Amino acid sequence: MSATAQPTDLTSRQLTAPDGRVELAPDVVLDDPRFANGDLLPVPLEKRRWTTYNYMALWVGMSHCIPSWTLASGLVALGMDWKQAVFTIALGNLIVLVPMLLNGHAGTKYGIPFPVFARASFGVRGANLPAMMRAAVACAWFGIQTWIGGSGIFVLAGKAFGHGWANASTIGGYAWTLWLSFLLFWVLEIAIIARGMETLRRFENWAAPFVIVGAVALLVWITVKAGGFGPLLDQPSALGWGSGFWKVFFPSLMGMIGFWSTLSLNIPDFTRFGGSQRAQLWGQALGLPTTMTLFALLSVLVTSGSQAVYGAPIWDPIELAGKMDSIPGTLFALLVVLIATLSTNIAANVVSPAYDLAHLLPRFVNFRTGALITGVIGIVIFPWKLYSNPNVYIFTWLGTVGGLLGTVSGILIADYWILRRTSLHVDELYRESGRYWYAGGWNWRAVVALLVGAVLAVGGSYSALDAKGVKQGPFPVHGLIPFLKPLADYGWAVGLASAMLLYTLFSLNRSERV
């Protein structure tokens, strides 16, 4: 307990420090194994040590990954020029930063992780609904990123061991050496996260600058080799700036928002360790939108150079690194890719489900066990097929996920900022009796708002036709629910706004709202 913390006028069971952060009074014991374990309890003030740099490094580490590198390529493939693609990515990240900071406030103020924060609005038991939604998405992303990392090891080892490694016999359509590389990368990830959040903080601190240096080195190499940048920067937009562009822009923007809509929910998992609100606010504001925009621009420049050198744009940095003539240069480039993928996947896709699964069964599952379960699910899902088609990747995967998780974010923001004015009774988040128990541990208002918001956000999901009339995606051309099709291109915004409004209206006369 911080010596400077003082009892609040809210309750003597929690103490407030001069900077507004709150911790439990020393005589408060939260020992119900159904709702608490050591990983879910509020972080004491003296253990909240993350600084502005830590949060900046976290976002640099998470943003510098292959999927964010290839976001621009997906947009260019849809007809945008590089300026339109970078603009779309930049705007999407500025927008998603807002719920990121709003939800992150609760983590820093009370030291609680995302699933415990969700108990205030969904109920002590009902919080498992948004937590499992978030965990499912993270497990799929974990599989995608682990496959990418394993591919990097596969290429790197191929440089060292020769053609026998790359041309090994296949299992399930892939070389057995690729499966081995995938498994090695998986083991490395689990080994790091099993050591806890402090190890993650130290890892991100050195990984962030290393990846930046490596990406700049890749840019310098391709520029020298190309004698300047290639024709990609001169290519006009296939969409122009008329109706054709805007038809693609809005669903693409929702996809860019959907890329980090997952973290906008579980950001309290990280901000609970914040040394101050200022640290998490400035760390995120300086780290997320700037890094994503610069990384998109960097990917465009490097890819442009690859077109000048090899006659075709190479968006995949692993493939590009494999074309280097210098073995040391190739190994360095692939090492950068591996570190970037590792830092992203651990922070973005293991931390959240580890907490979420621990929240589901606190008596049996702790953070480390949850991380291991995440790793197993990430293997058996085989989600990398989503990554192979930009229409599926951006519109179907990111758009649908963004729409669903936008509803949860709207409910959390409405409950914490509009109704409670950031005031929580922390100990009651861990008890069967109390204001957050609602009816049997569930708050029907949040569940109904989530369901209605989800239908409005993704009910109109549709698949477009390509130039040959072939359907691009799994949804009907006219939408799952045809009259909702006009809303589909704005899924995240529709989900967030509708759920926020409905939850607020349902809760205005609620006696237990404060």
Side-chain angles (χ1 to χ4, degrees), residues 58 90 315 329 394 460:
L58 177 73
W315 290 94
I394 293 177

Side-chain angles (χ1 to χ4, degrees), residues 140-326:
W141 269 118
F142 177 81
I144 292 173
Q145 294 273 20
T146 303
W147 182 259
I148 291 171
S151 299
I153 293 179
F154 175 72
V155 173
L156 188 153
K159 287 287 183 179
F161 301 137
H163 294 292
W165 177 271
N167 298 318
S169 58
T170 61
I171 299 175
Y174 296 97
W176 70 264
T177 48
L178 177 55
W179 289 112
L180 177 61
S181 302
F182 173 59
L183 180 61
L184 289 174
F185 194 74
W186 181 90
V187 170
L188 181 59
E189 291 173 314
I190 297 300
I192 292 177
I193 198 62
R195 298 180 64 86
M197 290 294 289
E198 184 62 21
T199 298
L200 173 63
R201 182 180 71 89
R202 292 195 297 267
F203 175 73
E204 295 289 350
N205 281 349
W206 71 262
F210 178 80
V211 171
I212 291 175
V213 171
V216 172
L218 186 62
L219 175 62
V220 171
W221 167 77
I222 198 68
T223 303
V224 171
K225 194 171 182 65
F229 292 112
L232 189 67
L233 298 180
D234 298 325
Q235 291 297 315
S237 169
L239 305 172
W241 287 97
S243 59
F245 169 73
W246 298 110
K247 184 177 180 180
V248 173
F249 170 76
F250 285 108
S252 297
L253 180 66
M254 293 301 107
M256 296 308 101
I257 294 170
F259 191 81
W260 289 123
S261 65
T262 51
L263 265 293
S264 72
L265 290 185
N266 76 285
I267 193 64
D269 292 341
F270 301 96
T271 59
R272 67 191 298 224
F273 299 99
S276 67
Q277 291 291 356
R278 180 183 177 86
Q280 71 94 5
L281 189 153
W282 282 107
Q284 293 199 81
L286 294 174
L288 171 58
T290 56
T291 298
M292 285 294 292
T293 303
L294 290 174
F295 207 51
L297 180 59
L298 187 64
S299 72
V300 168
L301 293 174
V302 171
T303 304
S304 174
S306 72
Q307 178 162 329
V309 174
Y310 300 107
I314 301 174
W315 290 94
D316 187 342
I318 292 179
E319 181 183 351
L320 182 60
K323 289 183 174 294
M324 288 184 175
D325 298 327
S326 166

Side-chain angles (χ1 to χ4, degrees), residues 165 240 330 430:
W165 177 271
T330 300
Y430 298 84

